[in-house]
């Protein structure tokens, strides 16, 4: 069978909120500040993963790849290692926004 169509190019996007846009959703910020493991479990649940996977670089990378968000494994590693709560809050905000938009 011959290939008649080449895969299309998709424009890369960005996360819908910045890393430090805490006040875009104060509930997520408070959850991250006072119960960081709970935030990780909420992210993992949204992504249909095991609870402890929500706080790591791998789930951020999987999400970024799934939604064609700019970045690299190195970026994900640095975000999670240097600003773990900020990275988790950003990811959860993006998941919630995509749910509202009907594209999650």
């Amino acid at each position: 069978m011959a290939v008649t169509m080449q895969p299309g190019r998709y424009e890369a996007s960005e996360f819908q909120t910045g890393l430090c846009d805490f006040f875009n959703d104060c509930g997520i910020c408070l959850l991250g500040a006072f119960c960081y493991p709970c935030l990780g479990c909420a992210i993992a649940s949204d992504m249909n993963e095991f609870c402890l996977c929500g706080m790591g670089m791998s789930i951020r990378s999987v999400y970024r790849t799934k939604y064609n968000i700019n970045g690299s494994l190195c970026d994900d590693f640095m975000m999670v290692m240097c600003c773990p709560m900020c990275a988790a809050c950003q990811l959860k905000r993006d998941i919630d926004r995509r749910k509202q938009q009907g594209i999650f």
Side-chain angles (χ1 to χ4, degrees):
M1 176 184 276
V3 176
T4 58
M5 285 184 55
Q6 292 295 323
R9 291 186 62 144
Y10 298 99
E11 293 295 320
S13 62
E14 299 292 332
F15 280 98
Q16 295 182 37
T17 62
L19 186 65
C20 296
D21 288 345
F22 306 114
F23 299 109
N24 282 342
D25 191 323
C26 291
I28 291 173
C29 182
L30 291 172
L31 183 61
F34 293 106
C35 192
Y36 179 65
C38 297
L39 178 60
C41 285
I43 292 169
S45 176
D46 289 337
M47 299 284 293
N48 294 321
E49 295 290 339
F50 179 66
C51 190
L52 297 178
C53 297
M55 298 183 290
M57 148 190 153
S58 59
I59 201 152
R60 185 177 175 90
S61 297
V62 167
Y63 183 83
R64 197 176 41 71
T65 302
K66 181 176 180 178
Y67 291 102
N68 202 29
I69 296 172
N70 284 327
S72 67
L73 290 174
C74 184
D75 292 341
D76 296 333
F77 176 78
M78 293 305 293
M79 294 290 180
V80 171
M81 293 307 293
C82 295
C83 305
M85 189 180 77
C86 299
C89 288
Q90 180 188 37
L91 181 56
K92 180 63 174 152
R93 285 191 306 268
D94 205 80
I95 289 170
D96 289 351
R97 285 193 177 197
R98 288 184 192 275
K99 283 181 178 178
Q100 290 173 350
Q101 297 164 352
I103 56 174
F104 183 75

